[in-house]
Amino acid sequence: MGATVTGATVEVVEEGPFRFRIPRRGSMRVPGVVFASRALLPEAAGDQALQQVVNVATLPGIVEASYAMPDVHWGYGFPIGGVAATDVADGGVVSPGGVGFDISCGVRLLAAPCERDALLPRLGQLMDALDRRVPRGPGRGGVWQIGRTELEKVLVGGARHAVERGHGVARDLARCEDGGALPGADPGQVGVRAVERGLGQVGSLGSGNHFLEVQAVDTVHDRAAASAMGVRERQVCVMIHCGSRGLGHQICTDHVRTMDRAAARYGIEVPDRQLACVPAGSGEGRAYLGAMAAAANYARANRQLLSEAARDAFEETAGYGLDLVYDISHNLAKIETHHVAGRAVRLCVHRKGATRALPPGHPDLPDGLAAVGQPVLIPGTMGTASYLLAGVEGGGAWHSTCHGAGRVRSRHSAAREVDGRALRAELEARGVAVRGASWRGLAEEAPRAYKDIDAVVRASEGAGLCRRVARLVPLGVVKG
DNA sequence: ATGTGC
């Protein structure tokens, strides 16, 4: 190929369809690889995402490449849509910026035993029931009021603990990444401020692009996979997109500060302070990974409790419940074993705004999904489509794919250009019921502030990172 | 994303 696309300062070489390479230069230890169409390459004025791909390539212990998914955009230190793996035994680092402030932000999809047309007469009533039951917006209390002892159990047990307390059924856990609890959580590494912030927010959506949507399956792309996952055409589903709230945010803040001070002792220099990192096996590295796992479990319990709220609303208004399809994070660092140059190596895989996508046959897949691969959940922008995807054989970037549309316009700019009331009226006119938390919040999340989700998913599939299983469209949105 | 900002 060899066509060169000139970015602001970063040289990007087109290698093939949906694949660009940033050649290794200067202190880069590995090249950058960007999976995207030309149209999806970050080019918005001031977007430093490709420079961030370059910066990540300088991290100690990074192997193979600094990867970017098709929804890549500017983030804190690492780009959102970035994937980087470091060799733990070779001084490979862990960096909180490679996970993000919303630790274990993720998505779960639940399926209702009902078709779209049968629900429509009761949609308004259902949305009102959800409106009453789903805490959302900045701050604001969660559905579960707990004390410190119970919070510690949440940090260790995640969704598993929530189910043990009666908030869900055992089958839910089989459909959660890691069975609902990431091992290795260390509540002792979660600071007092993080605990304070986390106490009152278990079971709450938060704000920004987080949502709970009632959706309907619009297109089935892969009938066999959809069937194995428990999804069919016209089916009503619920998608929940949220994370670890103030607790995860505070953990990130605290550990970035610690690492920023400690890095010099390990002889680490980074091109951007936001890339603060230490060896994953060091004291500070293990402390962060323990706190990060605790936040991940908090996020999983959070989604489990919001599922219960949604189930209660469905039982109340429609007389039936919801089955969990899957729950998966898109902001996490995990210690995983991969083959590098024919050798099994323990890697610290950072996925920030990127989703794990295990291929068919992977041993970590639950019963019934081994033949089709891991479900991948891609939340759309308010009022637009969302996707159910599956992992594929040979997927690059350590079995990872995209996570969503990717913002192209700042919150501020969106709020200036869009009127929240008019946007709600527009969505309602298109048949999408809206229950928001604030007018400004709605305006900031207007579809025009994001990339085209259909294009992002097409590029992800085209790049061989995943395949499409089903496309879902919103019937009603509960917005933080 | 976030008790939204050094």
Side-chain angles (χ1 to χ4, degrees), chain A residues 10-13 20-26 28 30-33 54 57:
Chain A
V10 178
E11 184 197 354
V12 182
V13 181
F20 294 80
R21 169 173 293 257
I22 302 173
R24 200 164 71 79
R25 298 245 187 287
M28 291 171 74
V30 293
V33 171
V54 168

Side-chain angles (χ1 to χ4, degrees), chain A residues 146-155 191-192 195-196 199:
Chain A
I146 57 174
R148 283 158 208 281
T149 312
E150 187 78 28
L151 179 65
E152 188 156 323
K153 291 177 179 166
V154 167
L155 298 181
V192 287
V195 167
E196 288 294 340
L199 275 172

Side-chain angles (χ1 to χ4, degrees), chain A residues 4-262:
Chain A
T4 298
V5 178
T6 314
T9 50
V10 178
E11 184 197 354
V12 182
V13 181
E14 190 166 9
E15 284 198 315
F18 306 110
R19 187 181 171 107
F20 294 80
R21 169 173 293 257
I22 302 173
R24 200 164 71 79
R25 298 245 187 287
S27 53
M28 291 171 74
R29 295 167 194 261
V30 293
V33 171
V34 182
F35 296 105
S37 61
R38 283 188 165 223
L40 286 170
L41 279 180
E43 56 178 319
D47 194 316
Q48 299 290 305
L50 295 183
Q51 182 59 51
Q52 292 186 316
V53 174
V54 168
N55 295 345
V56 169
T58 70
L59 293 179
I62 187 168
V63 293
E64 220 171 79
S66 167
Y67 289 107
M69 304 293 113
D71 47 339
V72 63
H73 60 288
W74 194 2
Y76 178 90
F78 280 58
I80 295 162
V83 177
T86 62
D87 184 340
V88 176
D90 191 28
V93 294
V94 61
S95 174
V99 172
F101 276 88
D102 193 2
I103 296 168
S104 204
C105 181
V107 186
R108 73 166 44 193
L109 184 70
L110 302 111
C114 166
E115 290 199 353
R116 176 185 184 278
D117 290 347
L119 177 71
L120 286 183
R122 292 182 186 180
L123 181 62
Q125 204 188 338
L126 171 65
M127 295 307 295
D128 289 339
L130 289 167
D131 186 32
R132 286 193 300 273
R133 289 172 189 276
V134 178
R136 58 197 189 274
R140 313 279 175 97
V143 294
W144 200 11
Q145 295 308 313
I146 57 174
R148 283 158 208 281
T149 312
E150 187 78 28
L151 179 65
E152 188 156 323
K153 291 177 179 166
V154 167
L155 298 181
V156 173
R160 192 178 65 216
H161 178 68
V163 169
E164 281 165 7
R165 279 282 186 268
H167 305 290
V169 295
R171 185 195 171 278
D172 293 345
L173 302 179
R175 292 306 184 99
C176 288
E177 180 182 18
D178 309 308
L182 185 62
D186 184 355
Q189 300 301 337
V190 179
V192 287
R193 290 183 80 189
V195 167
E196 288 294 340
R197 294 178 68 173
L199 275 172
Q201 297 183 320
V202 194
S204 63
L205 274 183
S207 59
N209 63 353
H210 291 166
F211 63 72
L212 184 152
E213 276 188 1
V214 179
Q215 305 175 336
V217 177
D218 164 70
T219 312
V220 169
H221 298 279
D222 181 330
R223 200 160 295 279
S227 167
M229 293 177 188
V231 167
R232 58 185 185 278
E233 242 154 53
R234 293 181 295 280
Q235 184 163 17
V236 171
C237 292
V238 170
M239 183 174 278
I240 298 170
H241 178 205
C242 64
S244 53
R245 308 291 335 275
L247 178 127
H249 191 276
Q250 191 65 48
I251 286 172
C252 182
T253 302
D254 293 346
H255 287 259
V256 164
R257 186 184 297 119
T258 306
M259 288 192 193
D260 185 47
R261 290 172 181 159

Side-chain angles (χ1 to χ4, degrees), chain A residues 303-321:
Chain A
R303 292 193 285 273
Q304 185 66 35
L305 285 149
L306 289 171
S307 304
E308 184 181 44
R311 283 165 161 163
D312 290 348
F314 268 76
E315 290 284 0
E316 178 189 305
T317 55
Y320 45 74

